Amino acid sequence: MKKFKKLEGWGNMERKTNVKLVTISVFVATFMTAIEGTIVSTAMPTIVGSLHGMEIMNWVFSIYLLTNAMLTPIYGKLADKIGRKPIFLIGIIIFIIGSSLCGLAQNMITLIIARAIQGIGAGAIMPVALTILADIYSIDKRAKMLGLNSAAWGIASIFGPLAGGFIVDTIGWHWIFFINVPIGLVLMGLIAYFLVEPKREKSKVPMDILGSVQLMFVLLTLLLGFQLIGDVGFDLKVFLCLGASVLFFISFIFVEKRAKDPVIDLLLFKNSTFVIVNIVAALISGFLMGVEVYIPMWMQGVLGKSAAIGGLVLAPMSILWMVGSFIASHLMEKYSTKKVISIGLSITLLGGIFLVLVPATVSFIWFFAISSVLGVGFGITITTTTVTAQSSVEPSEMGVATSFNTLARTIGQTLMVSVFGVIINAVTTSELAKSSLKVDPDVMNQLVNPHTANTISADLLTPLRGMLYSGLHNVYLVGIFLIIAAIVLNAAVKKR
């Protein structure tokens, strides 16, 4: 007989949720979303080389993160109002559709649109999955589940780069997106059958539609402003976008203060610990994008390695991230969360310093060590900030706190992948303009694609790789400042 357990506080139900199998389905969701990030990062140099779009490459990541961020709080509210299961299943369906369209894309614009659809679906998957875990496990067991969830993420992240490199080098990059379809279908079956929810009474409090729409416009105009800086420089369009973002934000605050059921409860921002740890999480998540997106480009564009090697060097980070999560759980039993976060940030800073100091000609073997250090740092930091964000609020606000923590990390990734794209495009364009090389600017697309790099004449390879290295060096210099800012902010957190 299978053992079943009902959700605490949900009343008596004829059928009961199978906790073990629902937990497995949450891990599958984590696996699917984690593999999406690592497998695409590994294949991106080949994709942009094939579709000729290095100048808009960052939009492939930005649009996914943007639509994800825009929908996360809305899905959270809908999950509270109509149930976890329907929202979770809707998210998976949209994600599968977006993945299929990505695989069918024949140009960068189509790929970016498909990634937007993918992001809309992903916006429901992780926050609702974590909310389901919070529903079926008590607080004392929840930390262990986060650790195991990180293990699922680690397994996916190891498999992702290796599979991504292998798929790109054999059957083509289109198939890195199609892999999500069977995983998503299995996940839908598990959740649809084994997660049992009670019928919910229709809420008499209206959904905060106005606040939700305004939040979308805040994020949209902010990201667009950052993107335009890289495309056209600081012109009128940029200032209009950033100015509109500020106005939308002010209007959003005004609306939320009067909303009966706000999409984000503003009272949370009176809690300084909650605010600071979420900013720290956003900063470190932003730096993480610089690692995941540009280390594969370093391997392929600067060192001339295959896509498989580009993904392989990220594998230690995935393994040690899982280890870092378990280290964090043990450290939090002995020390304050403030001290544990400091330890994690210090280790992450060490990895960032290595990235800044290594020369362009360094052997790719060194990146295994750097990736390992970063994995431990990220694992400790992200896990501890999540637990701190949850424990710094009342139990009744746990769902909102978890949703906002996810949103903060997504916003950090969304903004920083745009900033890093601006930096590397500006530096490589400037270096090309100052050089005496008479080459088409599209040569950088050829350089980062291992399949076309060998078509570049040998006398051009060294200077072009030097230009790309210069852009990557500046990316990681900015990353160092993000970590330092996180360390300073964490010092302001009250000891817990």
Side-chain angles (χ1 to χ4, degrees):
M1 292 286 292
K2 295 180 180 179
K3 294 183 178 179
F4 292 87
K5 178 182 177 182
K6 69 179 180 181
L7 305 181
E8 295 181 6
W10 281 33
N12 296 320
M13 294 178 282
E14 293 182 3
R15 285 187 60 209
K16 299 180 177 66
T17 292
N18 187 316
V19 173
K20 291 182 179 179
L21 291 178
V22 169
T23 301
I24 290 173
S25 69
V26 169
F27 292 166
V28 172
T30 302
F31 180 90
M32 185 172 67
T33 52
I35 203 173
E36 177 60 26
T38 55
I39 205 169
V40 173
S41 296
T42 303
M44 190 49 60
T46 301
I47 294 173
V48 298
S50 173
L51 302 183
H52 303 286
M54 183 177 176
E55 66 281 356
I56 57 173
M57 178 192 80
N58 57 303
W59 268 105
V60 176
F61 298 95
S62 297
I63 199 69
Y64 175 87
L65 294 169
L66 172 63
T67 52
N68 189 321
M70 288 167 60
L71 273 298
T72 292
I74 298 172
Y75 281 131
K77 281 293 181 183
L78 289 173
D80 285 337
K81 285 180 174 294
I82 66 176
R84 323 295 193 213
K85 183 192 289 189
I87 300 303
F88 198 60
L89 294 177
I90 289 171
I92 296 170
I93 291 171
I94 297 173
F95 187 84
I96 290 174
I97 293 172
S99 296
S100 300
L101 293 175
C102 284
L104 296 171
Q106 297 297 315
N107 57 66
M108 284 296 285
I109 299 300
T110 305
L111 178 62
I112 290 169
I113 294 171
R115 287 281 286 175
I117 297 171
Q118 217 182 11
I120 291 172
I125 295 173
M126 279 310 297
V128 178
L130 293 176
T131 304
I132 291 171
L133 281 182
D135 285 338
I136 62 179
Y137 287 101
S138 58
I139 295 175
D140 59 326
K141 294 181 180 179
R142 206 172 298 156
K144 294 181 180 179
M145 289 301 106
L146 283 175
L148 292 174
N149 199 48
S150 297
W153 186 95
I155 293 169
S157 299
I158 296 166
F159 180 75
L162 297 176
F166 176 77
I167 292 170
V168 168
D169 291 338
T170 54
I171 58 177
W173 63 263
H174 299 274
W175 289 91
I176 68 169
F177 296 105
F178 292 141
I179 196 174
N180 291 322
V181 176
I183 296 174
L185 292 174
V186 170
L187 180 59
M188 287 179 64
L190 288 170
I191 289 294
Y193 188 79
F194 293 110
L195 177 62
V196 180
E197 291 187 302
K199 293 182 179 179
R200 296 169 183 263
E201 294 182 4
K202 188 175 181 180
S203 176
K204 297 180 180 179
V205 180
M207 180 74 181
D208 183 19
I209 300 296
L210 182 58
S212 300
V213 171
Q214 288 184 324
L215 180 58
M216 289 183 188
F217 280 112
V218 170
L219 297 171
L220 175 64
T221 51
L222 184 64
L223 176 61
L224 184 59
F226 275 98
Q227 178 61 39
L228 287 174
I229 292 174
D231 294 341
V232 298
F234 287 93
D235 71 351
L236 181 60
K237 295 178 182 177
V238 172
F239 291 108
L240 286 175
C241 284
L242 296 180
S245 181
V246 172
L247 292 176
F248 280 125
F249 180 73
I250 294 172
S251 178
F252 171 73
I253 297 297
F254 181 82
V255 169
E256 293 301 275
K257 285 182 177 180
R258 289 158 177 76
K260 294 181 180 180
D261 187 17
V263 65
I264 296 179
D265 190 351
L266 299 181
L267 293 177
L268 288 174
F269 297 101
K270 293 184 178 181
N271 184 332
S272 60
T273 299
F274 177 80
V275 172
I276 291 174
V277 296
N278 278 297
I279 295 175
V280 169
L283 291 170
I284 297 305
S285 295
F287 176 63
L288 173 63
M289 290 305 295
V291 174
E292 289 187 342
V293 174
Y294 292 107
I295 282 185
M297 181 174 286
W298 190 324
M299 294 299 100
Q300 297 172 66
V302 177
L303 300 183
K305 302 297 180 182
S306 67
I309 294 295
L312 188 62
V313 295
L314 291 178
M317 185 178 77
S318 305
I319 299 171
L320 273 297
W321 185 306
M322 178 178 61
V323 173
S325 296
F326 286 111
I327 291 174
S329 65
H330 290 294
L331 290 176
M332 283 188 285
E333 294 177 358
K334 300 180 180 180
Y335 306 106
S336 66
T337 52
K338 177 179 179 179
K339 186 172 183 178
V340 178
I341 292 173
S342 295
I343 294 171
L345 290 174
S346 299
I347 296 173
T348 307
L349 179 61
L350 181 63
I353 291 172
F354 285 154
L355 284 174
V356 171
L357 295 180
V358 292
T361 55
V362 69
S363 170
F364 78 94
I365 298 297
W366 285 99
F367 284 86
F368 286 96
I370 296 172
S371 179
S372 299
V373 172
L374 288 170
V376 175
F378 286 134
I380 295 174
T381 304
I382 297 299
T383 300
T384 311
T385 52
T386 301
V387 172
T388 305
Q390 292 176 333
S391 63
S392 64
V393 301
E394 295 297 325
S396 60
E397 298 176 317
M398 188 75 71
V400 176
T402 304
S403 176
F404 185 80
N405 180 257
T406 303
L407 178 62
R409 289 168 56 186
T410 304
I411 291 173
Q413 292 174 330
T414 304
L415 294 183
M416 289 317 303
V417 77
S418 298
V419 172
F420 291 147
V422 167
I423 292 170
I424 200 163
N425 282 333
V427 172
T428 53
T429 301
S430 174
E431 293 282 334
L432 273 175
K434 290 188 296 183
S435 72
S436 58
L437 302 177
K438 295 181 179 180
V439 295
D440 191 306
D442 190 60
V443 72
M444 298 307 292
N445 286 315
Q446 299 177 40
L447 179 66
V448 299
N449 186 345
H451 297 295
T452 58
N454 56 9
T455 63
I456 302 174
S457 60
D459 59 320
L460 292 177
L461 272 178
T462 299
L464 289 175
R465 285 174 174 171
M467 294 175 192
L468 182 59
Y469 168 77
S470 180
L472 294 169
H473 186 262
N474 281 274
V475 163
Y476 292 121
L477 276 175
V478 173
I480 290 292
F481 285 108
L482 292 179
I483 303 169
I484 292 173
I487 291 173
V488 172
L489 283 170
N490 182 61
V493 175
K494 294 179 181 180
K495 188 174 180 180
R496 294 182 60 84

